Amino acid sequence: MSTVLYVTAHPLNESVSHSLSVGNEFIQAYREANPKDEVIHLDLYKMDIPQIDADVLNGWGLLRSGASFDQLSTESKMKVSRLNELVDQFLEADKIVVANPVWNFLFPPVLKTYIDAICIAGKTFKFSDEGKLIGLASDKKLLHIQASGSVLSEGPFSSFEFSHRYLTAIAAFIGIPSVEVIYIEGVGASANRVPEIKEKALEQALKLAKIF
């Protein structure tokens, strides 16, 4: 049995979100193909995800200097504990599915906050004595489902594609060997083609659900 984290980064629901509508169809098909697997939905807009702020940095600094957890401030204890919960949950999962829109050429800020929460030294990456980066999440698979108003994967706007490119870089950073992607793009610039664009993305999602 595998554990799947379904990470969504859209404040609305699937009736208006192309990334969520395709993501939910993928998850439904995945569940049908893998009935014994556990799927955990992380709606980032409804979660407590501490930002890396002064409380977190001060807490981590004290712990590195040899202080006990009890010596941290109340705020630092709460935030550091929550970050530990999030990264441990990520490490326990076998597969990750991320669904998000593109806003101003990048994903919503809440997804960056989550990425910061799971990129923790000693947990998802480390450096060798020689300074070589070692990703510690090499046992995982990642699927990225991304919707955008313009076509970003190719063509004249490809140089503005920072969202999937960033997620791919993070995956490499923490050791995930490859990233599958489903693009739902051009839904703003080619509104009359939205049904065709969605159909193509759904077809890809249903195929991937059987083999992911």
Side-chain angles (χ1 to χ4, degrees):
M1 184 182 81
S2 296
T3 298
V4 181
L5 290 185
Y6 177 39
V7 182
T8 60
H10 199 297
L12 302 179
N13 59 41
E14 65 274 10
S15 68
V16 292
S17 166
H18 300 300
S19 58
L20 292 186
S21 63
V22 173
N24 290 352
E25 288 286 347
F26 171 86
I27 291 298
Q28 181 178 336
Y30 181 89
R31 282 190 167 117
E32 291 173 359
N34 304 274
K36 294 184 179 180
D37 286 6
E38 179 183 17
V39 178
I40 301 171
H41 182 195
L42 302 185
D43 183 342
L44 300 186
Y45 276 92
K46 297 179 180 178
M47 291 174 57
D48 169 29
I49 312 174
Q51 294 192 31
I52 298 179
D53 59 8
D55 295 326
V56 172
L57 293 175
N58 288 334
W60 283 345
L62 286 170
L63 292 173
R64 283 196 298 268
S65 69
S68 69
F69 186 77
D70 289 339
Q71 292 177 279
L72 273 58
S73 70
T74 300
E75 293 78 9
S76 291
K77 287 179 184 177
M78 291 175 57
K79 294 176 181 180
V80 169
S81 292
R82 179 58 178 154
L83 289 172
N84 285 338
E85 290 174 359
L86 290 169
V87 71
D88 287 345
Q89 180 187 54
F90 179 84
L91 287 169
E92 289 169 5
D94 303 289
K95 304 172 184 180
I96 317 296
V97 179
V98 177
N100 65 268
V102 173
W103 293 347
N104 302 316
F105 307 114
L106 193 59
F107 43 68
V110 68
L111 181 52
K112 176 60 165 63
T113 304
Y114 179 74
I115 290 170
D116 287 342
I118 57 105
C119 289
I120 304 295
K123 292 274 194 173
T124 49
F125 72 92
K126 68 178 182 179
F127 291 96
S128 69
D129 293 339
E130 294 76 29
K132 180 182 178 181
L133 173 66
I134 301 172
L136 302 177
S138 58
D139 59 336
K140 306 193 186 311
K141 299 174 70 174
L142 174 61
L143 169 64
H144 186 202
I145 300 172
Q146 174 171 289
S148 58
S150 302
V151 175
L152 300 175
S153 64
E154 60 184 8
F157 291 105
S158 60
S159 62
F160 294 94
E161 203 298 294
F162 303 113
S163 178
H164 178 64
R165 192 187 310 173
Y166 181 83
L167 198 62
T168 300
I170 288 295
F173 175 60
I174 62 177
I176 298 176
S178 63
V179 182
E180 297 281 358
V181 60
I182 298 173
Y183 289 114
I184 313 134
E185 51 185 0
V187 293
S190 305
N192 62 319
R193 293 186 57 239
V194 169
E196 175 189 342
I197 294 167
K198 290 283 293 294
E199 183 179 355
K200 181 179 178 182
L202 285 170
E203 182 180 343
Q204 185 183 1
L206 295 179
K207 287 181 180 179
L208 276 174
K210 298 176 182 179
I211 60 174
F212 183 66

